[in-house]
Amino acid sequence: MPENPHLSSGGSDQPVGTDGVLPVSPADGKNDGAVAAIELCWDQRQQKIPDPFVWPQSDALASSERELDAPVVHIGAAMRGGAGMRRAAEQVAAACASHGLFQVTGHGLDPALARAALDGAAGFFRLPLATKQRARRAPGNVTGYAAAHVDRFTANLPWKETLSFAHRTSAAVSQQVVIDYFTSVLGSDYQPLGAVYQDYCEAMKRVSLEIMEVIGVSLGVGRSCYRDFFADGGAIMRCNYYPPCPEPERALGTGPHCDPSALTLLLQDSAVDGLQVLANGEWRPVRPRPGALVVNIGDTFVALSNGRYRSCLHRAVVHRERERRSLAFFLCPRDDRVVRPPPRLLDGGAAASGQEEEGRRYPDFTWADMARFTQRHYRADARTLDAFARWLGAAATSASQSQDEAAEETV
Ligand SMILES: C=C1C[C@]23C[C@H]1CC[C@H]2[C@]1(C)CCC[C@@](C)(C(=O)O)[C@H]1[C@@H]3C(=O)O
Ligand SMILES: O=C(O)CCC(=O)C(=O)O
Ligand SMILES: [Fe+2]
C-alpha cells in the first residue's frame, strides 16, 4: 500500500482524512454534542463562524461574476431523433470534453412536482433537530440526515444540512423504496413527503436515461449503450439546505469536488444562486434558470468514457442573508455492475488489436467499491478518481501477495 495521506492502509475499514481533515471518532461515528451545536451555528445572531467551518484560502477562492458557458440542451427534441438528437449530441460533446456541465430543458418534469420537492425539503429542514435526527446517517452509509457532516469530519465543515436516500427500480425491490424509507425512519406522517420524492426520483431516472442516450450518441457508441447500462441502476437523492452564513467569504456550503457517481441532475432553488464550476482557473456561477435542470458528469462516468469526458469540478457558496436549497439526483450503476468503457472507446486501437487492457485509463470497479471508498476511506474532492484507482491497485496487490503467501505456506 503506498504512503499517501488520502488512503487507509491494509484495506481495512478505518477511515482516514483528506489532508488533515480528520474524521471524528471513527469507532462510533456519533457526535451528539456537535450535532446539537449546529443549531447554535445557524443562529442568526452569531457574528462569526466557528473555526471548523473556515476553509483554507485556496479552496474558498473568490468567485467570478461571469456565468459559466454551458449549453442548454432540449432533451425532448433530442428524443425525437434526427436534427434534434444531432444538435443535442454536439452540445453535450463540447460541454463534457471541457468542464463537464450542461443544462437540460424540455424534460417534462411537472413544475408542481418540482415545487413540491423543493418546498418539502424546506419543510423538512425546519423541523426540530430531534425529529430530523430520527433519520440520522449511520456511520459508513451515504443515506440519512447529516448536519454539516460533524459526525464525519473535524475541519473544513460544509455550511449545510443534507437529507439523502436511495432510489432503485428493479423487480427485486419494492416499487415504493423512497416512501418506505420516509415512513420507516420518520413515521407514517411522512408518507406524503415520501410520495413526493418517490415521484420526483422516478422522473429524474427517466430523464437521466434519456440523457444517457444523448451521451451515447455524442461518444459514437449509440443510443442504447449507456441507457441499458444504467437501466437497472440506482441513485442517491439528496436534499441540500444551506442556511444564511455570517461570514460567507470564509465558508463553503459544499467544498470543491467532483461527484463520485456517474451523472448528477440538480434542481436549484429558483431565487438564490450558489453553484459554481471551476473553468480556466476561475470559479464561475451557474445561475438558476427557471425550468432547467443542471446536469454534470461524475467520476464514474469518466471511467465509463475511458477519460473522454471530464468530471465537473464544482462547489456551492453560501450567502449572508439568504438561505438556499437544491436537490441532487446522483445516478449510479447497479451496485455489482462492473464499470468498464465500451471497447470502441479504448485508446490507440487497443480493442481492434485485442489488447483491450492496454487502452484502459482506469481499472475495473463497481459502484459498491466507490461508495465504500468515499464513505469510509476518503472525503470526496477534486482528486477522488485518481485516489480511488490507486486504492484499488493497492488492494489488488495486497490480495495477490496474500494469495502468494498462502500458496508458499502450502508448498
Ligand atoms: C457518493 C456521494 C458522496 C457525496 C454524496 C454522494 C455524491 C456527492 C458526494 C459529496 C457531496 C462530494 C463533496 C463532499 C461530500 C462529503 C459532501 O459535502 O456532502 C460528498 C458526499 C458524501 O460523502 O456524503
Ligand atoms: O447545491 C449545489 O448547488 C451543489 C451541491 C453538490 O454539488 C452536491 O450535493 O454534490
Ligand atoms: Fe456535487
Side-chain angles (χ1 to χ4, degrees):
M1 188 70 66
E3 284 289 314
N4 186 309
H6 300 287
L7 306 182
S8 69
S9 57
S12 86
D13 265 355
Q14 281 295 90
V16 294
T18 304
D19 287 343
V21 183
L22 298 172
V24 170
S25 49
D28 56 16
K30 275 199 261 156
N31 196 348
D32 288 325
V35 171
I38 286 295
E39 285 197 327
L40 209 60
C41 298
W42 293 177
D43 184 335
Q44 299 294 297
R45 288 161 304 188
Q46 302 294 319
Q47 307 279 308
K48 290 195 83 59
I49 59 174
D51 285 348
F53 284 95
V54 179
W55 283 71
Q57 209 43 45
S58 54
D59 285 327
L61 274 183
S63 328
S64 157
E65 272 305 300
R66 224 154 45 98
E67 171 120 39
L68 181 77
D69 191 9
V72 181
V73 177
H74 197 290
I75 193 76
M79 288 303 98
R80 290 192 286 278
M85 174 59 96
R86 279 196 297 281
R87 170 152 173 71
E90 277 167 20
Q91 291 176 304
V92 164
C96 296
S98 56
H99 48 59
L101 182 142
F102 54 94
Q103 306 228 27
V104 161
T105 55
H107 44 62
L109 171 67
D110 177 359
L113 178 58
R115 190 35 47 217
L118 282 166
D119 290 351
F124 174 82
F125 291 112
R126 273 197 295 268
L127 289 170
L129 186 60
T131 311
K132 293 185 279 193
Q133 287 281 80
R134 282 194 230 149
R136 75 181 299 161
R137 170 191 171 276
N141 202 329
V142 71
T143 60
Y145 166 74
H149 293 323
V150 280
D151 54 344
R152 295 167 70 189
F153 312 120
T154 53
N156 294 356
L157 297 183
W159 195 263
K160 68 175 172 186
E161 290 176 54
T162 58
L163 175 68
S164 315
F165 40 90
H167 176 252
R168 215 162 295 120
T169 37
S170 129
V173 297
S174 156
Q175 296 308 293
Q176 304 217 84
V177 63
V178 178
I179 298 179
D180 292 348
Y181 175 79
F182 273 77
T183 53
S184 66
V185 301
L186 290 166
S188 53
D189 289 354
Y190 290 83
Q191 196 279 347
L193 189 58
V196 166
Y197 290 117
Q198 182 77 47
D199 290 351
Y200 185 83
C201 287
E202 279 160 24
M204 289 301 101
K205 180 70 184 277
R206 175 185 59 72
V207 179
S208 307
L209 294 183
E210 291 177 357
I211 296 170
M212 281 298 164
E213 290 190 39
V214 178
I215 292 180
V217 173
S218 75
L219 283 167
V221 296
R223 272 176 90 150
S224 64
C225 174
Y226 294 120
R227 186 191 172 98
D228 292 351
F229 183 84
F230 285 101
D232 63 358
I236 300 158
M237 171 78 209
R238 175 171 280 199
C239 306
N240 291 307
Y241 167 63
Y242 304 99
C245 176
E247 294 185 281
E249 59 296 327
R250 300 214 299 157
L252 282 172
T254 301
H257 68 281
C258 297
D259 294 335
S261 39
L263 192 76
T264 306
L265 271 57
L266 186 86
L267 182 65
Q268 304 198 72
D269 203 325
S270 57
V272 189
D273 60 7
L275 176 65
Q276 299 184 340
V277 170
L278 192 72
N280 302 321
E282 273 190 338
W283 285 106
R284 312 259 300 263
V286 181
R287 303 217 165 84
R289 191 187 169 99
L293 290 165
V294 175
V295 179
N296 70 262
I297 297 290
D299 291 339
T300 295
F301 195 82
V302 174
L304 274 172
S305 72
N306 204 27
R308 306 276 169 108
Y309 282 176
R310 300 269 301 267
S311 210
C312 176
L313 178 51
H314 57 287
R315 69 179 188 180
V317 297
V318 288
H319 298 267
R320 196 177 301 279
E321 269 106 26
R322 311 183 79 179
E323 58 180 27
R324 174 171 179 262
R325 278 169 291 274
S326 69
L327 303 178
F329 179 85
F330 302 105
L331 183 74
C332 316
R334 200 181 71 193
D335 273 5
D336 58 350
R337 238 183 219 296
V338 177
V339 172
R340 179 183 298 153
R344 280 188 71 150
L345 298 186
L346 301 184
D347 297 337
S353 64
Q355 302 292 309
E356 298 206 352
E357 293 313 309
E358 285 186 17
R360 297 281 303 278
R361 297 279 179 93
Y362 302 96
D364 280 356
F365 64 90
T366 63
W367 173 249
D369 297 329
M370 177 61 111
R372 181 156 172 251
F373 183 64
T374 55
Q375 296 312 300
R376 292 180 183 267
H377 300 282
Y378 188 91
R379 179 176 182 172
D381 64 8
R383 300 182 300 257
T384 310
L385 186 55
D386 287 338
F388 178 52
R390 286 197 300 274
W391 181 74
L392 287 171
T397 308
S398 71
S400 81
Q401 274 166 358
S402 320
Q403 271 179 2
D404 290 350
E405 279 160 21
E408 274 167 25
E409 276 166 23
T410 54
V411 173

